[in-house]
Amino acid sequence: MMQLVESPSCIWGRFVQDPGSGTDQYDRLQAQMNLFYKDVTQDLRHLKPTSLEEGQVCVVYWSWMKSWCRAVVESIVMDSVSSQARCLLVDQGEQLISCWMCCRRSVGDGRTQRGLLFTVSYVFCLHLLLPHLRHRGENINPLILDCSGSVVLLCQGWKKAQVVYGLLEDMKVAPVLHPCSPLEMIKSHTKCIANPRCTGLLLVTTPFSLVRLLSSHCFLFLRLYHLVLDEADWLFTVAPDQMAAILEHFQKEASSEEKASCPLQLVAAARRWTGHMEGLVEAVLYGNVQQVVLMTLGSSKISVLLGALDFNPVIGQKTVIVADSAEEVEDVWKAMSSRSVFCLKTHERLTHNFDFVIEQWGNAIGPRTHVILVTTTQCLKSLGVRDSLCVIHYGFPASPKLFGDRLSCMAKNFRNLSERGSSEDQPRLTRSVLLIFERNTTHMVGVVGYLQRTVTPLPPELLSFVRGVQLAREDHKADRPLCSYFKSFGVYRSVCPNRHRFITKLDESLLPSSGLKEVLPLHVKTASVFYGRLVEEGRGGFQSLAAEMSAFYADKKPGAEEVLQGGLYAVQEDEVFHRSVVLGVTDCLFFSVFVRFIDVGNKEEVKSHQVLQLPERFCSLPGQAVEMVVCRVNPSDGEIDWHPEVTRAISQKIQGLQHRARAVFSLGNTVFVDAMVLLTQVPGMKTVINEYSVQAEILNTGMGVTNQEHLNLLRALRRDAEELIPVCGQTPPRDGRAAVGQKSLHTADLKSADFHPLAHWYQTSRFAIVTVKLRNPENHCCDFYPDRVVYSARADGRTYRADLQLHGDGIADRCCCWEMKSNEPVLRLVKQQPGHWERLLRSKVLGQAPPRPVQSLDSCSTVFPQNIFVSYDTDHIEEDEDGTPNGEQHTQRGGGGWN
């Protein structure tokens, strides 16, 4: 590509590797370089070269191009007044005389086409606590030794506490700070008193345990000088009362005059900000920022943006509007200019205007004045803006970190949360406005969770929308097992890949759901969950089978000729033979096999020689192992798992002993029991004695508490399955628990009680392709009309129906087809007129005009006129328009064809 004609025989230029690629690569490089060297937050002292010499690679500012350019120093001219360098611009071929002060060090190599001119920032998730403690342990201030202070490190649960405790023992900090558990601390305290020169203790525990220690052994913490909070966001969310008590004690100790000469510190590490942490810090990033969410269509973003702005504010205001691209910046700037608003703009192609923009932005403003800056995320960081009162996210932030970076442009106006007297009485000054349109729907659940942590009131419509998305996502988990955590305790984990919805064909149970039953625990999984057999009097099916198997294998032990995954075999353990299904086989010379004992319930890895053939007559009896859940108990202190000590104690007590239990509920292969006791017959009498209750034994360990709502939550799971939200026409739930705001749901057919399937779509100039997210549907039918498509099918015991009114100019219904691809229906719609559709569907409600978005900045409420079950497939990789999709095609005529 020609750059400069120096003479008819000398032309400067650069090679373009791909003739069709143009100069996009170099333009991006140039834009990044201008952003880097124009960044007002940079310390110029680190960028200016300390010396110059011939042949040195540097960067100089070329005023004619208004850009920073890569250069090589050809010669240096020095006199008593100044120093100048003659440089060759390696990308333009120009020679330039530059003042030394206008040169910058080149970041990186700078000699190749790709240049390495800008650094790449890597974000490392560093554990802040352990290095800090190591530093204190290795270097540990003499004041700490003299005061013999204690350090408390709070973790989110017993698992994390044990991991940190083990790490501290392996570190050099151990001989200095003496890490200990809560039980060890009481013993170690006596040693510390006997030896005044003994250094302090480091207690690793949880908030709940520490509060109990404070109430019963408060004398242990009279020298608490260091409080370390690991995952502080979790601590304040799950244990707010306990954390308040701990901070109160620490503040009391810190304010004591006796400790004026001792160093005190509070260290908190958190993954994210939560509103519960306000009592921990004086000022935070999101200090009292009003969060506003506006939902709109992509085609209406400009009008919604204009409606969110006050162009004649009583108090002078500065607003930053952040867009995704230079094109969006230009569009917004034109819209603002049409309203005669003083609006500044900058993007990657206007870096030469940075100085002007910064100067104009810094001018003082008076009442009734509104200054607006439209820019991109990259430029905003380089401009160093810190005094804005409002940030409008016209371009959706791709991550929470990016969202937080944008809010930093209001840092000077953040309210100090330590000023308690005024923070609640005065209105919020700073505001963040987030625009969400249809292509951002995949991020909605995360956005709501993020904003909820800032204690932001959210519009009911947004919450209803997210609830609908969550219900739709559950449809994708139809092949997953029912959440074991929900079965055990009646609540969900924060992140769980398993199913949380009752499906009749999977969860309907033939096991008893009421009455007294004899149960034999064989494999204890946790303190409240075990596998065993239901013992029924007069039915000795399994005992007879076990006896026959022992007799058969006593004479001969035929080894398995071929071990296949999913196959049923016998496995020998000492003198016992178990029926087992193979879950996996390792590929080695002496291979091992991972199996599940279908009559016991446990999974084990066994050697290949233990796997034997299982005759057909031993396969007729179904597997006898049944999962049993002891109801109404769960771990104490907000823990999510049972402590191994509790599980070990219960296992030793109940395994292999027949108990009597009352069945109260059943799901699939799981029986829920409430009251499970061990009975002992008095010799010579008909009297029986209750030796113990399993629930009582768990509670007596001190690591479990009563969970009264367990059964109610389990029964609600089945009841809610009958009250799932259909497309429309279903009577609202009686108690309203499963109700979702009907305004945010897509209404397809007032006479239909079918469910609406989830669908993803993308388009080319000629086609619109819709993928219906149903796995292996049955009895499906698809009818194509000029302005709508109707698809219906049955899946997972439910009837689904999607009646889609199309937004485009219509489809050539005679040419449309559908197919099964990756076990999901794919509809291929041929556009009547080639072109781009702004969206797939016409409106939210059939037969009605699409409603206008309704905004209320105070209540933060909107109506989102879009089908929540249909979203754009942003992950799609474009394919050849003329290519025919693989798989069997089904072509139908409009109006339903012959059917």
Side-chain angles (χ1 to χ4, degrees):
M1 179 177 143
M2 185 170 63
Q3 284 283 103
L4 173 68
V5 180
E6 187 173 302
S7 69
S9 61
C10 183
I11 299 175
W12 289 87
R14 63 175 179 267
F15 289 104
V16 178
Q17 295 179 355
D18 183 1
S21 64
T23 61
D24 290 346
Q25 182 184 14
Y26 176 77
D27 292 341
R28 287 195 299 268
L29 178 86
Q30 193 71 34
Q32 293 288 346
M33 190 162 59
N34 283 325
L35 282 175
F36 181 82
Y37 289 103
K38 275 285 189 179
D39 190 345
V40 297
T41 64
Q42 293 274 12
D43 188 349
L44 299 182
R45 293 174 297 178
H46 297 308
L47 294 178
K48 292 178 181 178
T50 56
S51 63
L52 281 180
E53 58 185 19
E54 294 183 6
Q56 182 173 343
V57 178
C58 64
V59 178
V60 298
Y61 186 74
W62 190 10
S63 58
W64 185 79
M65 286 284 293
K66 297 181 180 179
S67 175
W68 288 92
C69 305
R70 297 184 294 179
V72 174
V73 178
E74 291 187 327
S75 61
I76 300 175
V77 179
M78 301 183 65
D79 55 33
S80 59
V81 179
S82 64
S83 298
Q84 293 181 328
R86 178 172 178 168
C87 303
L88 172 66
L89 307 185
V90 297
D91 295 316
Q92 289 80 17
E94 286 279 1
Q95 289 181 327
L96 188 67
I97 302 296
S98 177
C99 174
W100 190 342
M101 299 302 293
C102 294
C103 298
R104 299 286 186 269
R105 287 190 301 109
S106 177
V107 180
D109 188 354
R111 290 173 291 183
T112 63
Q113 171 62 29
R114 298 191 179 181
L116 299 178
L117 280 175
F118 50 94
T119 58
V120 180
S121 298
Y122 296 94
V123 179
F124 296 97
C125 296
L126 300 177
H127 199 295
L128 301 178
L129 303 177
L130 297 184
H132 176 79
L133 292 176
R134 182 189 289 113
H135 174 75
R136 303 294 294 184
E138 293 175 348
N139 301 288
I140 241 212
N141 195 325
L143 293 175
I144 297 181
L145 299 178
D146 293 339
C147 293
S148 186
S150 298
V151 181
V152 173
L153 198 161
L154 293 182
C155 299
Q156 65 165 322
W158 62 265
K159 280 188 177 180
K160 186 63 175 293
Q162 284 189 331
V163 170
V164 174
Y165 181 81
L167 290 174
L168 290 172
E169 284 190 322
D170 296 336
M171 294 168 56
K172 293 182 180 179
V173 71
V176 184
L177 288 178
H178 305 292
C180 63
S181 63
L183 295 179
E184 295 171 329
M185 186 175 188
I186 299 176
K187 300 178 182 178
S188 302
H189 180 71
T190 304
K191 186 196 303 181
C192 292
I193 296 177
N195 182 6
R197 296 294 298 174
C198 177
T199 58
L201 296 172
L202 193 158
L203 173 65
V204 183
T205 185
T206 66
F208 299 92
S209 298
L210 181 58
V211 168
R212 285 193 289 267
L213 281 174
L214 286 173
S215 62
S216 58
H217 299 88
C218 61
F219 61 91
L220 295 177
F221 302 95
L222 297 179
R223 295 191 301 271
L224 176 58
Y225 299 146
H226 310 278
L227 181 61
V228 183
L229 310 180
D230 186 21
E231 298 191 66
D233 51 329
W234 187 95
L235 300 178
F236 280 91
T237 300
V238 177
D241 297 336
Q242 288 74 17
M243 290 305 301
I246 293 170
L247 290 180
E248 182 180 356
H249 176 85
F250 184 76
Q251 184 179 14
K252 179 180 178 181
E253 293 297 318
S255 60
S256 173
E257 295 182 0
E258 301 174 359
K259 302 177 180 61
S261 60
C262 297
L264 303 173
Q265 59 184 354
L266 173 62
V267 180
R271 297 182 180 179
R272 56 175 67 95
W273 166 255
T274 66
H276 301 285
M277 295 167 58
E278 289 186 0
L280 180 64
V281 293
E282 293 185 358
V284 294
L285 179 62
Y286 310 115
N288 226 18
V289 177
Q290 180 189 16
Q291 301 288 345
V292 179
V293 179
L294 299 179
M295 305 172 71
T296 179
L297 297 174
S299 58
S300 306
K301 286 178 65 177
I302 291 289
S303 60
V304 172
L305 171 65
L306 294 175
L309 292 170
D310 181 4
F311 296 109
N312 191 27
V314 177
I315 302 176
Q317 181 173 336
K318 294 182 178 180
T319 296
V320 173
I321 301 176
V322 188
D324 282 336
S325 64
E327 290 73 19
E328 283 191 347
V329 170
E330 295 291 344
D331 293 340
V332 174
W333 182 81
K334 291 177 183 177
M336 296 298 161
S337 300
S338 66
R339 295 294 187 98
S340 300
V341 180
F342 182 73
C343 183
L344 302 168
K345 68 174 178 178
T346 184
H347 49 72
E348 286 76 2
R349 298 198 292 267
L350 297 176
T351 54
H352 57 277
N353 287 337
F354 273 18
D355 294 336
F356 171 76
V357 170
I358 294 172
E359 178 185 359
Q360 293 296 318
W361 180 266
N363 292 336
I365 59 174
R368 305 291 180 182
T369 304
H370 197 161
V371 178
I372 297 176
L373 169 62
V374 188
T375 184
T376 61
T377 303
Q378 293 291 337
C379 290
L380 178 62
K381 180 180 178 182
S382 301
L383 291 171
V385 175
R386 308 281 287 175
D387 59 345
S388 175
L389 278 176
C390 178
V391 175
I392 299 181
H393 307 270
Y394 186 83
F396 190 83
S399 67
K401 181 182 182 303
L402 188 59
F403 181 80
D405 289 344
R406 293 179 178 181
L407 295 189
S408 64
C409 71
M410 300 185 292
K412 288 188 177 180
N413 292 311
F414 287 160
R415 177 167 296 142
N416 192 328
L417 295 183
S418 62
E419 300 173 358
R420 298 294 177 185
S422 59
S423 63
E424 297 179 359
D425 302 332
Q426 296 183 2
R428 298 179 178 181
L429 296 177
T430 53
R431 189 174 59 153
S432 169
V433 182
L434 179 64
L435 268 63
I436 299 179
F437 66 108
E438 62 266 24
R439 291 196 178 184
N440 308 134
T441 54
T442 55
H443 301 284
M444 294 283 264
V445 177
V447 168
V448 169
Y450 190 73
L451 294 177
Q452 283 178 331
R453 291 195 294 271
T454 65
V455 198
T456 298
L458 297 174
E461 291 80 5
L462 178 60
L463 297 176
S464 297
F465 179 88
V466 171
R467 170 66 173 163
V469 172
Q470 291 173 331
L471 290 176
R473 286 182 177 178
E474 281 296 316
D475 287 338
H476 287 289
K477 301 180 180 179
D479 57 344
R480 300 289 302 171
L482 190 63
C483 175
S484 60
Y485 193 77
F486 182 81
K487 290 192 294 185
S488 299
F489 309 121
V491 294
Y492 307 131
R493 291 177 183 266
S494 57
V495 178
C496 179
N498 291 328
R499 178 167 50 89
H500 305 101
R501 177 180 291 178
F502 181 87
I503 296 179
T504 302
K505 72 176 184 179
L506 297 178
D507 300 319
E508 203 60 59
S509 178
L510 299 177
L511 296 174
S513 58
S514 62
L516 294 176
K517 301 295 176 183
E518 298 294 321
V519 298
L520 179 62
L522 297 174
H523 169 63
V524 177
K525 185 178 178 182
T526 69
S528 62
V529 179
F530 62 90
Y531 286 90
R533 292 197 294 270
L534 296 174
V535 181
E536 300 185 28
E537 295 183 3
R539 303 178 104 186
F542 177 75
Q543 286 75 9
S544 300
L545 175 68
E548 290 181 21
M549 289 180 62
S550 298
F552 175 81
Y553 291 110
D555 297 334
K556 54 182 178 179
K557 298 181 177 63
E561 299 178 356
E562 184 180 11
V563 179
L564 301 176
Q565 185 170 341
L568 197 60
Y569 302 89
V571 173
Q572 181 181 6
E573 281 195 330
D574 297 328
E575 299 303 321
V576 181
F577 300 89
H578 300 279
R579 296 188 301 167
S580 307
V581 61
V582 174
L583 302 178
V585 181
T586 59
D587 188 14
C588 59
L589 181 60
F590 302 101
F591 64 89
S592 59
V593 184
F594 191 55
V595 299
R596 177 169 58 85
F597 298 152
I598 64 174
D599 299 315
V600 179
N602 60 322
K603 300 175 182 179
E604 286 187 11
E605 187 175 8
V606 299
K607 299 300 182 182
S608 58
H609 65 82
Q610 296 177 256
V611 181
L612 309 174
Q613 295 181 17
L614 186 67
E616 190 69 28
R617 67 177 185 272
F618 296 148
C619 300
S620 58
L621 187 69
Q624 298 296 292
V626 174
E627 184 183 33
M628 302 183 192
V629 177
V630 179
C631 296
R632 295 193 302 110
V633 285
N634 64 281
S636 60
D637 295 349
E639 298 283 355
I640 60 176
D641 294 304
W642 288 110
H643 195 283
E645 293 182 8
V646 185
T647 300
R648 189 182 307 113
I650 298 301
S651 178
Q652 294 173 351
K653 205 168 193 67
I654 71 173
Q655 188 164 345
L657 299 178
Q658 185 169 317
H659 292 68
R660 180 169 295 176
R662 182 183 299 278
V664 292
F665 195 66
S666 63
L667 286 174
N669 194 44
T670 305
V671 175
F672 298 83
V673 298
D674 189 7
M676 176 176 167
V677 297
L678 178 68
L679 300 180
T680 301
Q681 178 109 29
V682 178
M685 302 179 64
K686 296 183 178 180
T687 305
V688 293
I689 298 175
N690 293 344
E691 292 284 350
Y692 60 80
S693 165
V694 176
Q695 285 102 326
E697 291 297 314
I698 294 175
L699 297 177
N700 289 340
T701 64
M703 299 183 185
V705 293
T706 301
N707 180 8
Q708 295 289 359
E709 292 299 315
H710 190 182
L711 277 176
N712 294 334
L713 294 169
L714 289 171
R715 287 166 177 153
L717 178 71
R718 174 177 291 177
R719 183 170 58 251
D720 288 346
E722 302 173 358
E723 299 173 351
L724 287 176
I725 306 168
V727 175
C728 109
Q730 179 176 338
T731 304
R734 292 183 297 276
D735 55 3
R737 281 192 307 274
V740 174
Q742 295 298 319
K743 293 183 180 180
S744 65
L745 294 178
H746 174 66
T747 307
D749 189 344
L750 295 178
K751 297 181 180 179
S752 171
D754 300 331
F755 295 90
H756 198 299
L758 200 66
H760 294 167
W761 77 286
Y762 66 93
Q763 64 176 319
T764 66
S765 61
R766 296 173 52 201
F767 304 103
I769 294 88
V770 182
T771 301
V772 182
K773 308 303 288 186
L774 292 178
R775 301 283 292 180
N776 300 314
E778 303 172 349
N779 303 328
H780 36 193
C781 176
C782 189
D783 297 331
F784 297 96
Y785 303 91
D787 60 346
R788 60 196 282 249
V789 178
V790 180
Y791 175 84
S792 61
R794 283 191 61 81
D796 301 326
R798 271 185 249 153
T799 300
Y800 290 86
R801 186 172 185 270
D803 191 343
L804 309 176
Q805 282 203 350
L806 303 176
H807 166 73
D809 296 331
I811 59 175
D813 53 288
R814 294 179 180 271
C815 303
C816 295
C817 61
W818 66 278
E819 61 159 352
M820 292 298 296
K821 191 174 183 179
S822 300
N823 298 324
E824 294 178 337
V826 177
L827 316 182
R828 187 180 179 89
L829 313 181
V830 182
K831 298 179 180 178
Q832 202 167 49
Q833 297 293 334
H836 177 79
W837 288 0
E838 292 184 0
R839 58 183 185 270
L840 179 68
L841 303 182
R842 184 186 308 168
S843 64
K844 181 177 107 171
V845 182
L846 287 182
Q848 297 183 11
R852 296 181 179 178
V854 180
Q855 299 100 22
S856 173
L857 299 184
D858 295 330
S859 63
C860 202
S861 62
T862 64
V863 174
F864 188 62
Q866 184 70 356
N867 186 337
I868 64 171
F869 299 103
V870 180
S871 61
Y872 193 83
D873 188 358
T874 57
D875 298 328
H876 169 71
I877 299 177
E878 297 296 335
E879 58 183 273
D880 184 7
E881 288 192 15
D882 297 327
T884 301
N886 297 325
E888 179 184 3
Q889 292 192 356
H890 307 266
T891 304
Q892 297 185 6
R893 296 181 179 272
W898 296 104
N899 298 324

